[in-house]
Amino acid sequence: MKSTIEELVAFRTVVDAGSITAASEQLAQTVSGISRALSRLEQKLDTTLLRRTTRRLELTEEGAAFLLRTRAILDAIDDAEEQMAARRQQPAGRLRVNAASPFMLHAIVPLVPAFRKLYPQISLELDTDDLPIDLLERRTDIAIRIGPLRDSTLHARPLGTHRLRVLASPAYLEAHGKPRKVSELAEHVLLGFTQPESLNRWPLRGVHGDEWNTTPTVAASSGETLRQLALAGVGIACLSDFMTEADRASGALVQVLAKDTADVRQPVNAVYYRNTQLSARITSFLDFLSQRMA
């Protein structure tokens, strides 16, 4: 008896989700139903694919080899269905998008309703990481990266640029005074990044050139964390316009040292691994972002 698509999907989802319970939630099926599908698959193959303990699941050597074939089969089915949908000019399928949490929250999430209205057959999977990820390892279709690109193996599509500004809350400035020149920043609480170090070079002019190297008093890995700290009046931060536009418009954050700030803009790129023609769902998302961010 041949394996069924349902059994292959159950097997792949259990591995990706990490447990039968999590897989049952993703597939909207019962735990017992997923467990029976796995058992049938192992019986048909006459081998053990997963070692089950009370705490976790672990792939056997045979399971790891079969998983590669399973992914290839299901991906081929997805591609075939997508090609049929593309012929009807209705891109379909799952689209996995990764971005740093601030960009996801402030730039992408507000656009999701409009995108879903245009492409209701595309299922979005939005993941956030504050440091670059391996697209192949995480099975990501598109990653949004801010700043210079370093990975030459990636294809990139420019989406625009965003300016950097030095900002603080009115409450902080009232309590600690507003710096009148760059050198006075040394007397203030500076909010910066744990890594990469390049994000702690602020676009401030002086004898040092157009960049001023800061030593953060309070450091965080996420720009959104720094934004929240700045809003709370903890210190002064250097942040991109895309995440502070509403704050500046409302007066919750105000720019400091504006006359000393160089017009430095961070490039925003959509990157992806595709050496062949892009799928319809990827193209539609890239075109949509480009138009909205322009």
Side-chain angles (χ1 to χ4, degrees):
M1 188 182 297
K2 301 296 184 181
S3 304
T4 66
I5 298 300
E6 179 186 11
E7 292 163 352
L8 297 182
V9 170
F11 174 52
R12 182 186 66 179
T13 306
V14 167
V15 174
D16 290 345
S19 71
I20 292 176
T21 300
S24 69
E25 293 175 354
Q26 286 189 22
L27 297 175
Q29 297 181 22
T30 63
V31 171
S32 59
I34 298 295
S35 183
R36 286 195 298 270
L38 287 177
S39 296
R40 288 196 305 270
L41 185 60
E42 290 180 327
Q43 289 173 5
K44 291 174 181 179
L45 297 173
D46 193 23
T47 190
T48 300
L49 300 174
L50 290 164
R51 295 190 186 93
R52 302 167 178 80
T53 68
T54 56
R55 293 187 177 182
R56 66 173 186 170
L57 297 173
E58 181 179 342
L59 278 170
T60 63
E61 184 176 348
E62 292 80 6
F66 190 71
L67 179 62
L68 292 176
R69 295 297 182 92
T70 296
R71 292 197 192 282
I73 292 168
L74 295 178
D75 286 344
I77 292 173
D78 286 343
D79 287 342
E81 292 176 346
E82 183 180 69
Q83 288 177 16
M84 294 301 100
R87 288 186 179 184
R88 301 190 304 270
Q89 297 183 342
Q90 295 177 345
R94 183 169 299 278
L95 181 66
R96 299 173 178 87
V97 181
N98 183 281
S101 53
F103 194 86
M104 184 69 75
L105 289 171
H106 297 281
I108 294 181
V109 168
L111 299 178
V112 168
F115 182 78
R116 291 283 303 135
K117 187 174 182 179
L118 287 173
Y119 303 102
Q121 295 188 45
I122 294 180
S123 300
L124 284 175
E125 186 174 297
L126 306 178
D127 296 316
T128 58
D129 290 274
D130 291 315
L131 295 176
I133 63 162
D134 185 317
L135 273 67
L136 289 177
E137 181 179 333
R138 294 282 290 274
R139 303 185 71 236
T140 297
D141 296 306
I142 302 171
I144 309 299
R145 293 193 175 169
I146 302 170
L149 294 176
R150 298 177 182 176
D151 191 340
S152 60
T153 64
L154 296 174
H155 295 276
R157 178 164 173 176
L159 297 177
T161 61
H162 284 280
R163 189 177 180 184
L164 291 168
R165 301 176 197 266
V166 180
L167 305 163
S169 71
Y172 175 86
L173 297 176
E174 183 178 349
H176 300 276
K178 190 172 185 177
R180 303 296 176 184
K181 51 187 178 180
V182 176
S183 59
E184 292 181 6
L185 286 175
E187 304 168 10
H188 288 266
V189 177
L190 304 182
L191 309 176
F193 291 85
T194 52
Q195 58 177 311
E197 188 59 34
S198 60
L199 293 178
N200 293 323
R201 293 196 289 267
W202 293 6
L204 296 172
R205 301 187 190 91
V207 294
H208 46 269
D210 284 347
E211 287 187 338
W212 187 69
N213 291 320
T214 65
T215 301
T217 312
V218 179
S221 61
S222 168
E224 181 60 22
T225 301
L226 297 179
R227 172 179 170 268
Q228 294 293 338
L229 290 169
L231 287 169
V234 175
I236 300 174
C238 181
L239 300 170
S240 294
D241 277 357
F242 72 80
M243 61 189 300
T244 62
E245 183 176 0
D247 300 326
R248 289 181 286 110
S250 69
L253 291 177
V254 297
Q255 186 174 0
V256 299
L257 298 170
K259 293 183 179 180
D260 297 306
T261 300
D263 187 0
V264 172
R265 298 174 183 271
Q266 291 182 311
V268 180
N269 288 281
V271 298
Y272 47 90
Y273 278 118
R274 282 296 173 105
N275 294 321
T276 57
Q277 186 175 0
L278 290 179
S279 67
R281 64 181 183 273
I282 292 178
T283 301
S284 63
F285 189 78
L286 292 177
D287 290 344
F288 177 83
L289 276 188
S290 296
Q291 292 168 5
R292 296 305 176 102
M293 291 186 61

